[in-house]
Amino acid sequence: MRTVGRRGTFIFLIILLLISILVGISIGPENLYLPHIVRGLISGLPGLDWAARGFTLKGPLGLESHFGPLPRGYQTIILDIRLPVVVMALFVGVGLSVSGASLQGLFKNPLVDPFIIGISAGGAFGYVLAVILTEGASIWISQFLKVLLSFLFSVGTVFMAYLLSRTGSKVPLTYLLLAGVALSASLTAATQMMVYLSVENPTPVIFSLMGSCSLTKWWEIGIVAPVILMGTLVLSAFGRDLNAFSAGEETAKHLGVDTERSKTTILVLASLMAAITVPFCGMIGFVGLMVPHIMRRFIGSDQRLLIPASALFGGAFLIICDLVARSLLDVTIPLGIITGLLGGIFFIYLLKAKRVGV
Amino acid sequence: MKKPLLLLMAMASILAISVLSGCIETESETVVEDEKIESMIWNFTDPLGGKVVLGSEPERIVTMTPALTEIMNAVGAWEKVVGCDSSSDLPPEAKELEHVVSWQGLDAEKLVLLKPDLVIMDRTLDITDMIYTEIKELDIPVYRIYPKNISDVLNAIRAVGELTNETVNATAVIDDFVERMNAVSQAANEIAEEDIPSVLHVTYYDGTADPWIATDSTFSGSLIIIAGGECAISDSSGYGVQMSLESIIESNPDIIFCSQSSSWPTLTRETILGDARWSDINAISSDSVFDVAGDWCDRTGPRMILGLEEFHGHIMDHVEA
């Protein structure tokens, strides 16, 4: 019965993900119908460009149905504007949720989010630094440096927190959390100082930091997707080790887990997966906190199931959040604001609904 | 005989005294009257209804926007400017002046040290009235403008002329502006209705977020309309708005202006031409994407006429092509 329930949950999650992808592509300033979407998507495949131009389908008994060309701009809107945004939201949702689920398992703390250990603060710092360094430079140099520095500083901050909290050959997890919080506070202040003193017009910079998947380009997905796919696969394989960690580090060691090595691998992968999203999508907070929590309700806390379930639900969740961000008002609301709002409410719900075991 | 003589003398002296005292009284009244007239001349009511009591011609003036600094220069009152905002860069000497205000806010201490007789500011950039209230509390006279259209800009130039006793120069600047604007407007009226191009003015776009657009309710929008175009994006806010790329593809403008500003991160036409997502738009296929000077169309000063003429030139090239 229980297995059927879990299988049912996974089937439900897959259907939810597919529906959210379709809805994500269809809704926008101009709502698109399914036949247009299907033709737009087909026309993107090599050699199938005819699907966007007019064509005639010949059926049996001389039946013919004629399709006119797709309205002007639809092919671009489907293939180059909406699909990349939906795919990026999918990968970022997967990345942040899997990273969150693994870190919560590792730290045995349900309130850990990949951004708490300094990833977002480091990323924001690198981003603003790149904006200042490339003032007046060409847009391509500026883009390149923004991606490079925000990624390096995201990963660098976690690495720094790791070094700061290391005592001898061990890295106590509580120290790591505290070091992450301390580094985040300093880096956030430094970022604010840079924006305040050096940026001539801060509006676009501040907006970029609020988090958004809009106007994603395919090459950006080409960088983000492999990291997140690989991370999800490897972390899923670490499910058994994470289960052992939930009984405590000592117990895990007795159960035959090479705790320090597992800890480092999980930490590095989880950090990489969250950090790779920052240069392209800014800070999209709380997804890594909310998604694993919700999934734990449905699937239990077995990490071997929780990680793939969080991946599926995280992808659908962020696509829907992005859709809300795009369509709630006339202007696109930064995605980070939507997830932040939901995250805050969710946090309060957690506090009120039950005592949170720490 | 003695009595009438004495009486006569007394009457004469009373008359003399009264005449003399009358004379003195008349003289002092004239002085008072002159001062009254003088102070009346140097008292103003600004377009927002604020009373500006100066008492005498202001010699030390602080301008709070680049456009006001440019207007001071255009009416020949540059030597009276003792401080300005951090974005002012015309005349180039403005960069060397004390900067009392930037987007971070007012540096009240710096302003007080400059001992200005008058501060001229624009409410558009102080919509919350915070800076205005701060300066008023320092007992410094403030004259505020709040231009919403081109005729308000011309009135602001006239007002600055009056405030600085340079009305002749101000009138010359305005006359030149109006004459050139009429010439553009006349030529624009000859464009056949079906040839009027739809124009999109992009003020910022870097490919990672939706573009910022100057809509029909902005100054740039008014310039586009006078220059003979129509705005691709309508909106009533009066400010630039961020507009989804999809809506822009749908609106399909015939001409795109990309503005380069000296105080705003900027884009060039290459950013748009190099971005495949714009390729379905008419302006791209007809090679009608132009770089334009942002300072000429978003600074509400005398150089707006240059912006209008630049827009008009591109629109006419497109119509005639």
Side-chain angles (χ1 to χ4, degrees):
Chain A
M1 183 65 200
R2 200 172 166 78
T3 336
V4 173
R6 282 176 178 165
R7 187 174 296 157
T9 309
F10 273 100
I11 293 170
F12 169 77
L13 287 174
I14 291 168
I15 294 171
L16 179 72
L17 184 60
L18 291 174
I19 291 175
S20 58
I21 291 173
L22 274 182
V23 175
I25 298 173
S26 103
I27 295 180
E30 174 107 3
N31 293 333
L32 305 178
Y33 299 109
L34 193 60
H36 284 155
I37 298 176
V38 173
R39 283 175 58 191
L41 291 177
I42 292 174
S43 74
L45 299 169
L48 297 178
D49 197 40
W50 54 263
R53 300 189 298 266
F55 60 91
T56 305
L57 279 187
K58 286 191 179 133
L61 304 170
L63 281 175
E64 277 187 8
S65 38
H66 181 71
F67 293 85
L70 277 184
R72 185 195 61 83
Y74 272 29
Q75 200 184 8
T76 311
I77 289 175
I78 293 168
L79 290 177
D80 294 326
I81 298 181
R82 290 198 197 163
L83 186 61
V85 168
V86 167
V87 174
M88 184 60 118
L90 166 71
F91 278 111
V92 172
V94 170
L96 295 177
S97 307
V98 170
S99 169
S102 321
L103 290 175
Q104 286 171 13
L106 184 66
F107 287 91
K108 299 188 297 293
N109 184 335
L111 297 184
V112 176
D113 174 79
F115 285 172
I116 285 180
I117 48 176
I119 289 169
S120 65
F125 181 86
Y127 185 90
V128 175
L129 187 65
V131 170
I132 290 168
L133 289 178
T134 57
E135 211 164 272
S138 89
I139 214 142
W140 305 114
I141 294 176
S142 158
Q143 295 296 342
F144 174 72
L145 214 64
K146 278 177 197 165
V147 170
L148 186 72
L149 288 189
S150 55
F151 179 70
L152 287 181
F153 275 92
S154 288
V155 178
T157 312
V158 180
F159 187 63
M160 189 72 158
Y162 189 81
L163 288 183
L164 283 174
S165 54
R166 193 161 68 180
T167 45
S169 61
K170 288 187 174 172
V171 180
L173 291 171
T174 327
Y175 282 22
L176 185 61
L177 261 186
L178 290 176
V181 171
L183 281 172
S184 290
S186 315
L187 281 167
T188 305
T191 308
Q192 285 169 344
M193 192 166 83
M194 282 197 297
V195 171
Y196 192 77
L197 294 180
S198 313
V199 178
E200 188 60 48
N201 188 312
T203 318
V205 178
I206 293 171
F207 282 13
S208 311
L209 293 178
M210 287 179 181
S212 157
C213 287
S214 73
L215 295 199
T216 294
K217 296 175 207 71
W218 282 110
W219 67 264
E220 297 176 335
I221 294 172
I223 295 174
V224 173
V227 175
I228 285 173
L229 277 177
M230 186 200 67
T232 306
L233 288 176
V234 178
L235 284 175
S236 299
F238 268 88
R240 196 191 68 89
D241 286 15
L242 280 167
N243 282 343
F245 268 104
S246 68
E249 257 185 274
E250 283 307 310
T251 320
K253 210 177 272 176
H254 289 305
L255 287 171
V257 177
D258 182 348
T259 50
E260 290 305 315
R261 216 191 67 183
S262 303
K263 211 193 289 182
T264 316
T265 316
I266 294 166
L267 195 63
V268 166
L269 279 177
S271 310
L272 271 179
M273 286 168 78
I276 197 71
T277 67
V278 175
F280 302 104
C281 301
M283 285 176 280
I284 302 172
F286 287 108
V287 176
L289 176 82
M290 284 185 281
V291 171
H293 257 286
I294 296 170
M295 280 303 99
R296 225 172 264 129
R297 290 277 164 92
F298 288 94
I299 214 103
S301 46
D302 182 345
Q303 294 281 345
R304 290 170 301 176
L305 296 173
L306 184 63
I307 289 178
S310 296
L312 289 172
F313 184 62
F317 178 76
L318 208 63
I319 292 172
I320 294 165
C321 283
D322 181 71
L323 185 62
V324 171
R326 280 189 282 139
S327 48
L328 196 61
L329 301 177
D330 280 349
V331 290
T332 305
I333 306 164
L335 181 52
I337 292 180
I338 302 285
T339 61
L341 269 175
L342 288 176
I345 296 167
F346 186 74
F347 223 118
I348 294 166
Y349 163 75
L350 280 185
L351 282 173
K352 286 286 166 197
K354 58 167 189 171
R355 299 244 177 261
V356 177
V358 178
Chain B
M1 193 60 196
K2 260 188 185 171
K3 254 188 181 172
L5 190 69
L6 267 174
L7 194 69
L8 202 70
M9 279 172 73
M11 279 172 70
S13 57
I14 288 169
L15 192 72
I17 288 168
S18 68
V19 167
L20 269 176
S21 68
C23 278
I24 291 165
E25 209 175 286
T26 317
E27 208 164 83
S28 81
E29 255 176 19
T30 316
V31 172
V32 169
E33 199 70 15
D34 276 358
E35 273 176 5
K36 219 172 172 181
I37 291 168
E38 171 91 345
S39 64
M40 269 167 68
I41 293 173
W42 296 107
N43 286 348
F44 296 87
T45 304
D46 70 26
L48 286 145
K51 297 269 179 275
V52 187
V53 182
L54 297 175
S56 61
E57 184 177 337
E59 296 300 335
R60 299 178 63 79
I61 298 178
V62 170
T63 52
M64 305 285 273
T65 67
L68 284 165
T69 311
E70 287 182 27
I71 295 176
M72 286 293 284
N73 188 44
V75 303
W78 171 248
E79 73 284 355
K80 291 182 179 174
V81 182
V82 292
C84 59
D85 67 292
S86 63
S87 297
S88 281
D89 54 7
L90 192 87
E93 293 83 8
K95 285 187 231 165
E96 314 303 323
L97 283 184
E98 286 288 0
H99 295 155
V100 299
V101 69
S102 65
W103 71 268
Q104 287 103 328
L106 176 74
D107 190 334
E109 207 167 302
K110 225 183 227 179
L111 180 67
V112 170
L113 287 174
L114 286 174
K115 298 193 184 72
D117 309 321
L118 172 65
V119 171
I120 315 180
M121 65 187 298
D122 185 334
R123 188 169 186 255
T124 316
L125 299 175
D126 179 38
I127 208 78
T128 54
D129 286 347
M130 261 168 65
I131 295 177
Y132 177 69
T133 318
E134 233 177 303
I135 301 174
K136 289 287 271 188
E137 278 167 5
L138 298 169
D139 281 332
I140 299 170
V142 193
Y143 188 98
R144 277 194 302 177
I145 58 164
Y146 193 16
K148 290 181 186 293
N149 50 48
I150 289 169
S151 105
D152 288 347
V153 174
L154 298 178
N155 284 333
I157 297 175
R158 182 170 294 118
V160 171
E162 285 167 5
L163 288 164
T164 55
N165 213 2
E166 296 286 0
T167 44
V168 177
N169 287 347
T171 309
V173 172
I174 295 167
D175 289 348
D176 174 61
F177 194 113
V178 172
E179 193 182 320
R180 288 161 70 180
M181 184 166 72
N182 286 341
V184 168
S185 170
Q186 233 161 19
N189 282 340
E190 283 163 23
I191 302 174
E193 199 158 330
E194 63 273 16
D195 291 339
I196 293 175
S198 131
V199 182
L200 180 80
H201 178 182
V202 184
T203 54
Y204 183 67
Y205 178 66
D206 63 10
T208 64
D210 284 326
W212 288 80
I213 305 298
T215 65
D216 59 343
S217 61
T218 64
F219 276 95
S220 161
S222 318
L223 296 180
I224 287 171
I225 293 162
I226 300 172
E230 70 178 18
C231 291
I233 305 285
S234 265
D235 157 271
S236 59
S237 71
Y239 301 101
V241 293
Q242 211 171 3
M243 186 62 67
S244 79
L245 186 49
E246 285 184 34
S247 314
I248 290 169
I249 293 174
E250 273 166 39
S251 75
N252 197 19
D254 302 310
I255 297 177
I256 296 176
F257 291 149
C258 310
S259 60
Q260 284 76 54
S261 158
S262 56
S263 52
W264 171 258
T266 229
L267 82 157
T268 63
R269 60 194 289 272
E270 274 71 35
T271 317
I272 285 176
L273 293 175
D275 192 329
R277 292 171 293 197
W278 292 68
S279 57
D280 285 338
I281 296 174
N282 273 350
I284 281 82
S285 44
S286 65
D287 197 21
S288 298
V289 183
F290 305 103
D291 284 333
V292 295
D295 292 351
W296 292 357
C297 46
D298 60 23
R299 289 189 180 181
T300 51
R303 288 195 295 169
M304 269 197 158
I305 190 65
L306 297 173
L308 178 66
E309 288 170 345
E310 185 177 38
F311 282 9
H312 181 63
H314 290 312
I315 288 173
M316 289 314 279
D317 287 348
H318 179 86
V319 170
E320 284 156 13

